[in-house]
Amino acid sequence: MQRVATIATEAAVSLARRRTPRPFPALTRGLRASHPCADFHFDTHQFVQRLEREGLNRAQAEGIMAAMAEVIDESIRNMTSNMVTKADQEKHHYTQQVDFAQLKSELQLTEKNELAMVKAENDRLVTDIEKLKQRLREEITRTQAGVRLDLNLEKGRVREESSKQELKMKEVDTRIEQEIANLRTSIQGSKATTLQYLVGFVTGCSALLMAYLRFRV
């Protein structure tokens, strides 16, 4: 019996691996009478023969095979009850396609809206930048005009200061020239006076010398 259970287990495992219906009509007359509408999923005839080779008689082998067929059919029904039909799968696929198309349309619309917003923001930034550039140019122009005015005023002040310094220098030169002229006049007067004193002194000395010489002679 342990050997029969092992064979039954192997048959169930083999069926679970295949999971593909394979009807085999090679059944005895008694099996067809017992299961007139059965749709077997494994080779029942070969399974019965294998049980007979293991020492079971025909009735025992067919009984075990029938029980195995019922268990396998029940297992397959339980498995197929949880499976999705092709129609449901196609419906789900169509629903997914519709959802995908809707999502794609929403994404495209969102992208267009975001693109329009980005473009509007970019245009606004460009406008702001142009305004800033214009204000900067105006500010630079005013600054340059102010600097030029300050430079011109400073140049005028420097010219006036330079003119005043030139006038002062001319006045100083004039005073120096006058002082030099006065000094020359004083020197000339001193020279004349000194020359007169010298001539008078020489004349007096000469007269004294002549008088002395006359007195000696």
Side-chain angles (χ1 to χ4, degrees), residues 14-194:
S14 177
L15 177 64
R17 288 177 179 175
R18 291 197 303 267
R19 298 176 69 178
T20 305
R22 292 181 57 190
F24 291 94
L27 300 173
T28 59
R29 186 177 298 174
L31 289 176
R32 290 184 183 276
S34 299
H35 302 280
C37 298
D39 186 12
F40 298 103
H41 301 278
F42 62 98
D43 193 343
T44 56
H45 182 65
Q46 185 178 2
F47 182 66
V48 170
Q49 289 180 349
R50 185 173 180 181
L51 292 176
E52 288 178 349
R53 286 197 299 271
E54 295 295 331
L56 299 177
N57 55 31
R58 187 73 173 185
Q60 289 175 341
E62 290 176 354
I64 293 172
M65 187 279 299
M68 286 291 299
E70 290 179 359
V71 172
I72 292 170
D73 288 339
E74 184 66 23
S75 299
I76 291 175
R77 283 195 298 271
N78 291 332
M79 286 189 298
T80 56
S81 64
N82 296 324
M83 293 182 180
V84 180
T85 61
K86 185 176 181 181
D88 293 337
Q89 186 176 3
E90 291 178 353
K91 182 179 179 181
H92 182 66
H93 182 65
Y94 176 75
T95 304
Q96 285 182 342
Q97 287 181 343
V98 172
D99 293 339
F100 180 75
Q102 185 178 1
L103 179 61
K104 184 178 180 181
S105 178
E106 291 177 355
L107 289 175
Q108 289 177 350
L109 182 61
T110 304
E111 184 178 1
K112 289 181 181 178
N113 292 332
E114 290 180 354
L115 208 61
M117 291 176 62
V118 170
K119 185 177 180 182
E121 185 68 19
N122 189 23
D123 293 339
R124 186 182 67 80
L125 290 174
V126 170
T127 304
D128 293 340
I129 290 172
E130 290 298 328
K131 290 180 180 179
L132 289 174
K133 286 182 178 179
Q134 184 64 28
R135 290 177 58 186
L136 183 61
R137 284 194 290 267
E138 292 176 356
E139 189 67 25
I140 290 173
T141 303
R142 284 198 298 269
T143 303
Q144 288 178 348
V147 170
R148 289 193 187 97
L149 180 60
D150 293 338
L151 288 175
N152 292 328
L153 292 175
E154 185 67 21
K155 286 180 180 178
R157 189 182 65 80
V158 169
R159 289 194 193 97
E160 292 178 357
E161 190 69 24
S162 178
S163 299
K164 290 180 180 180
Q165 294 294 330
E166 288 178 359
L167 289 174
K168 289 181 179 180
M169 290 178 67
K170 286 180 179 180
E171 290 178 357
V172 171
D173 291 340
T174 303
R175 290 179 182 177
I176 291 172
E177 289 177 358
Q178 289 178 354
E179 291 293 332
I180 291 172
N182 293 330
L183 183 61
R184 286 178 180 175
T185 303
S186 298
I187 292 171
Q188 292 294 332
S190 298
K191 284 182 178 180
T193 303
T194 303

